[in-house]
Amino acid sequence: MDIGSQMLHALIILFAAIFTDNILLARFLGMCSFLSVSRQVKTAVGLGLAVVMVMTFTIALDWLAYRYILQPYAIEYFRFILFIIIIAAFVQFIEMVIERYSPLLYQNLGIFLPLITVNCAVLGASLFMVIRQYNLIEAVAFGFGSGAGWMMAIVAMAGIRERLNNAKIPRGLQGPGITLIIAGIMALAFIGFTGVLSGR
Amino acid sequence: MNLFVIPIAIISGVSALLAAALIFAERVISNYGEVMLNINDKEKEFTVRGGASLLETLTDQKIFIPSACGGRGTCGYCKVKVTDGAGPLLPTEEPYMNAEERTAGIRLSCQVKLRNDLKIEIPAELLSIRQYVSTCEKIVDYTYDIKQFRLTIPERQEMKYTPGQYVQVLAPQYEKSAEEVYRAYSISSDPADKKAIELIVRRVPDGICTTYLFDYLKEGQSLNINGPYGHFYLRETTVPIIFIAGGSGIAPIKCILHHMQNMQNPRKAIFFFGVRTTRDLFLVEEMKGFESGLPDFKFIPVLSQPEPDANWRGATGWVTTAAEEYLKNQTEARTYEGYLCGSPGMIESSIKVLTGFGIPDDKIYYDKFS
């Protein structure tokens, strides 16, 4: 494959990860923070940006670790442990860097970073990357796309929930109940994109 | 053999490498150098290593800010005023601040990190708070559920407290508690005694700290305390005083009475001490001693449920009712100052009684157990 078509393929993967194969709405990964931190658009944007950043970088690191550490020794089955260690270490590291050099960014993203270590969407993206046998560029595109898709979903959900504050909801459905129903409807809506693009 | 060794070695190696990288990064990146901490407009100044939280740094400098959660940002007690250098309010602090505190620059000291020079203001009394490794010298049984603990202050150290104030006792980790907890107890001893303080403690069923004190602490063992804290102390006026206390609430009042006796304070004072039965009554002889030692002091123990066979001749009923009866017969009841110490219920009904006689709220001082 020449560079041009490779780039095109990466771009397709990126958009597929955002729309047709959204990691949250199609794969239901990263639900816990999706449900708990989607009360306000402002915080949802903060968490979303942090997820995009962490996913993009960790998927590249995980790809390198898989290719150059796990594969040569044929111990791919250790990828779960290794990936999670890398994600945790990276989040710690990035938190330190942001705190040191950009107080403003830390103000907006910093407190969400520890939440991300336990966001299964981040690990999930790295595992999909292995299953689908992406190369490094594709993996980064997929990581960025998955993060962006996750962010889009949580920001949309936060926007809806802000409006729900003014809605009359039966008592039994308030809180997590109505949120899960909305997540389901959003997922149904995203089925509409199915088949438009495929990144596999 | 290799099937196990190599994979484990590789994974452990990578983990160790990442850990080392993180430690290195922390040294380099999170090194904020030395920063200047300026307290109360240069009343105290420290040059400290940056990077830690303000609460930790102040504790290292032996300045103790009250904190119950240990710096996790969940209790909201460790508030200090930061006048310069803290940056904007963090989302983790917002829930604990009202509008007034936000504009005044109040921050949670456990959330503020020292990244640059900082100017803060803390109340003067917090500056005199120290930590002491005291020794439990003597434990005395007062009743079936109240004990007195005598704690010696280490030599060359002295606790300067105002009679009526309290200290925090650190119950360490022990069988029944996985974490260290601080609990507050009033000082009950004679302030002239500089070598030791005494605390009067009632056992709280399943209480972490009282169980430690009652069942685990032995005479001769050491106990970490810090203090003094609190605004419950005798105001320097000449008006008559009414003390009302229930159970172990007698502690700060006993300390105040010692002080009054040392100073031969001529103020008129009366003390209503409420307990349930004769089994709960203690320190009666000492209080009678104050009656003869002080120019104008009366002690009235009040039993709410005296045993029928106890032959109790003193006052009965609620301690607040007894106080009410007394004030009814005073011509100048509204000039009294009220000092209350006990359970929240007792305090609230006492306040109701006292304000009913026209005693203003700001002349009623209390120490509420919670």
Side-chain angles (χ1 to χ4, degrees), chain A residues 63-197:
Chain A
W63 189 90
L64 292 171
Y66 188 78
R67 177 76 184 77
Y68 293 105
I69 298 174
L70 297 180
Q71 276 188 335
Y73 293 97
I75 47 171
E76 288 95 333
Y77 51 86
F78 266 126
R79 60 181 181 268
F80 288 85
I81 298 177
L82 191 68
F83 287 177
I84 215 70
I85 292 172
I86 289 174
I87 292 168
F90 178 77
V91 169
Q92 286 276 314
F93 177 74
I94 203 81
E95 193 182 354
M96 275 190 251
V97 172
I98 292 182
E99 192 179 353
R100 177 74 171 138
Y101 296 106
S102 174
L104 190 74
L105 199 61
Y106 185 71
Q107 179 80 19
N108 293 316
L109 297 190
I111 58 158
F112 300 114
L113 284 171
L115 270 179
I116 293 173
T117 319
V118 293
N119 187 334
C120 39
V122 178
L123 180 63
S126 289
L127 295 174
F128 278 131
M129 152 203 97
V130 171
I131 295 169
R132 297 175 189 171
Q133 298 177 333
Y134 289 142
N135 65 29
L136 182 58
I137 296 169
E138 290 166 347
V140 171
F142 178 68
F144 181 79
S146 295
W150 194 91
M151 177 178 171
M152 184 182 68
I154 194 173
V155 171
M157 174 59 100
I160 295 172
R161 286 185 75 177
E162 278 189 3
R163 297 221 164 184
L164 279 185
N165 289 337
N166 304 323
K168 242 181 159 179
I169 302 162
R171 192 185 299 160
L173 277 180
Q174 281 170 8
I178 192 76
T179 313
L180 280 170
I181 292 177
I182 293 168
I185 297 172
M186 284 168 74
L188 284 177
F190 270 75
I191 289 180
F193 289 113
T194 314
V196 177
L197 285 167

Side-chain angles (χ1 to χ4, degrees), chain B residues 285-304:
Chain B
E285 288 311 308
E286 284 83 348
M287 293 297 133
K288 294 279 173 208
F290 286 125
E291 283 188 333
S292 46
L294 273 163
D296 190 352
F297 172 70
K298 264 197 86 60
F299 173 64
I300 319 264
V302 186
L303 267 52
S304 62

Side-chain angles (χ1 to χ4, degrees), chain B residues 212-244:
Chain B
Y212 177 76
L213 293 175
F214 273 66
D215 299 340
Y216 291 84
L217 184 70
K218 301 275 175 298
E219 287 176 4
Q221 289 182 347
S222 66
L223 188 67
N224 276 318
I225 57 174
N226 61 46
Y229 302 91
H231 301 278
F232 185 72
Y233 50 84
L234 194 67
R235 273 35 180 199
E236 287 182 14
T237 60
T238 53
V239 300
I241 305 163
I242 180 164
F243 294 108
I244 306 176

Side-chain angles (χ1 to χ4, degrees), chain B residues 113-316:
Chain B
K113 263 201 170 186
L114 258 84
R115 294 196 189 85
N116 39 31
D117 294 359
L118 212 60
K119 274 189 198 164
I120 63 171
E121 281 175 25
I122 40 187
E125 65 255 27
L126 285 185
L127 287 178
S128 63
I129 292 169
R130 295 271 179 284
Q131 187 142 13
Y132 304 86
V133 183
S134 71
T135 310
C136 177
E137 187 188 325
K138 203 164 165 45
I139 301 174
V140 181
D141 282 308
Y142 275 157
T143 71
Y144 59 95
D145 69 344
I146 292 180
K147 282 181 197 276
Q148 175 186 278
F149 296 86
R150 185 177 166 81
L151 310 172
T152 37
I153 303 295
E155 273 179 53
R156 287 195 296 275
Q157 272 187 304
E158 188 189 331
M159 187 184 281
K160 284 186 184 149
Y161 62 92
T162 315
Q165 286 192 301
Y166 66 88
V167 294
Q168 285 194 324
V169 171
L170 175 78
Q173 292 179 351
Y174 68 108
E175 281 170 59
K176 304 245 170 87
S177 162
E179 55 181 338
E180 300 183 333
V181 295
Y182 281 102
R183 291 289 182 269
Y185 301 104
S186 295
I187 302 170
S188 67
S189 49
D190 185 344
D193 182 359
K194 303 282 182 212
K195 288 200 289 289
I197 59 164
E198 290 163 7
L199 311 175
I200 295 173
V201 182
R202 159 172 285 177
R203 182 196 276 271
V204 177
D206 296 327
I208 294 175
C209 192
T210 59
T211 306
Y212 177 76
L213 293 175
F214 273 66
D215 299 340
Y216 291 84
L217 184 70
K218 301 275 175 298
E219 287 176 4
Q221 289 182 347
S222 66
L223 188 67
N224 276 318
I225 57 174
N226 61 46
Y229 302 91
H231 301 278
F232 185 72
Y233 50 84
L234 194 67
R235 273 35 180 199
E236 287 182 14
T237 60
T238 53
V239 300
I241 305 163
I242 180 164
F243 294 108
I244 306 176
S248 56
I250 196 174
I253 291 169
K254 176 172 176 275
C255 183
I256 290 174
L257 290 170
H258 277 297
H259 183 63
M260 287 175 74
Q261 183 168 284
N262 298 341
M263 300 286 135
Q264 277 303 302
N265 192 325
R267 289 172 71 175
K268 180 178 177 177
I270 186 157
F271 177 18
F272 291 94
F273 179 43
V275 293
R276 193 174 315 164
T277 65
T278 50
R279 284 177 68 219
D280 299 292
L281 203 54
F282 61 101
L283 282 175
V284 177
E285 288 311 308
E286 284 83 348
M287 293 297 133
K288 294 279 173 208
F290 286 125
E291 283 188 333
S292 46
L294 273 163
D296 190 352
F297 172 70
K298 264 197 86 60
F299 173 64
I300 319 264
V302 186
L303 267 52
S304 62
Q305 296 161 14
E307 303 92 327
D309 54 345
N311 209 9
W312 173 251
R313 291 176 188 196
T316 55

Side-chain angles (χ1 to χ4, degrees), chain B residues 40-110:
Chain B
N40 292 358
D41 205 12
K42 302 213 171 171
E43 188 184 327
K44 281 199 177 197
E45 237 177 335
F46 301 108
T47 309
V48 292
R49 272 200 60 180
S53 78
L54 179 57
L55 181 68
E56 280 170 356
T57 311
L58 286 172
T59 310
D60 284 347
Q61 299 300 328
K62 309 268 177 254
I63 296 173
F64 297 98
I65 306 292
S67 161
C69 67
R72 287 195 291 260
T74 54
C75 72
Y77 288 171
C78 62
K79 289 177 182 173
V80 297
K81 183 171 179 174
V82 182
T83 46
D84 191 30
L89 199 67
L90 294 168
T92 40
E93 296 172 85
E94 269 170 11
Y96 302 101
M97 301 294 165
N98 60 32
E100 204 174 304
E101 288 170 329
R102 278 165 214 242
T103 46
I106 305 289
R107 304 293 298 265
L108 287 188
S109 59
C110 66

